[in-house]
Amino acid sequence: MRALAGLLALPATGTALLAGDPKQRKDKGVKSDEEWKKILTPEQYQVLRKKGTERAFTGAYWDNHDKGTYLCAGCGAELFGSATKFDSGTGWPSFTQPVAKDAVAEESDTSLFMRRVEANCARCGGHLGHVFPDGPAPTGQRYCINSLSLKFVKQGK
């Protein structure tokens, strides 16, 4: 439990807004909780499967400026490219858009007495973070993503 002290659990409930309806996800439900626990670290499990979040400015990628691709730490799906990453000042990796329109599923999140849009991996349903309408051009979107939900592959590797 001590390893999880830096995480804040954010249970989310809601309904699908865009692509990635839970019933349509390719891998969702394929792995049991026990299988997820075997392949993810306890911290990754808390974020990806239990909808937690890491503390700001503590993740591996919030200040990463290398060129490459960000994959889902759960299933390896391509999610974001470094060309769309920007410094939002929030302490989490932030992107203006996913690599493909259907790479990230968005769902309504009404937890913590507020309305937000949750970002999930469209392939495995893993919780990534949230989407906010305060990002820079060209999309105006800020995909605020937990480093624990990502794996970075440096360009050229």
Side-chain angles (χ1 to χ4, degrees), residues 48-113:
L48 284 162
R49 307 318 305 171
K50 296 298 179 182
K51 301 180 186 283
T53 192
E54 63 200 9
R55 287 182 307 161
F57 303 102
T58 64
Y61 305 125
W62 75 271
D63 197 30
N64 182 27
H65 300 286
D66 293 334
K67 291 183 181 180
T69 305
Y70 293 85
L71 312 176
C72 174
C75 70
E78 288 189 18
L79 299 173
F80 301 97
S82 59
T84 65
K85 188 174 185 291
F86 68 98
D87 182 6
S88 65
T90 63
W92 288 279
S94 297
F95 305 87
T96 57
Q97 63 190 34
V99 293
K101 193 174 189 177
D102 61 352
V104 175
E106 298 179 6
E107 296 181 26
S108 175
D109 174 0
T110 56
S111 66
L112 300 179
F113 307 104

Side-chain angles (χ1 to χ4, degrees), residues 95-150:
F95 305 87
T96 57
Q97 63 190 34
V99 293
K101 193 174 189 177
D102 61 352
V104 175
E106 298 179 6
E107 296 181 26
S108 175
D109 174 0
T110 56
S111 66
L112 300 179
F113 307 104
M114 62 181 104
R115 289 180 168 236
R116 299 180 293 176
V117 176
E118 180 184 358
N120 298 311
C121 173
R123 182 190 286 166
C124 72
H127 173 74
L128 304 172
H130 289 87
V131 186
F132 300 97
D134 60 3
T139 66
Q141 299 295 302
R142 173 174 53 97
Y143 287 79
C144 188
I145 308 298
N146 291 287
S147 290
L148 285 165
S149 65
L150 301 172

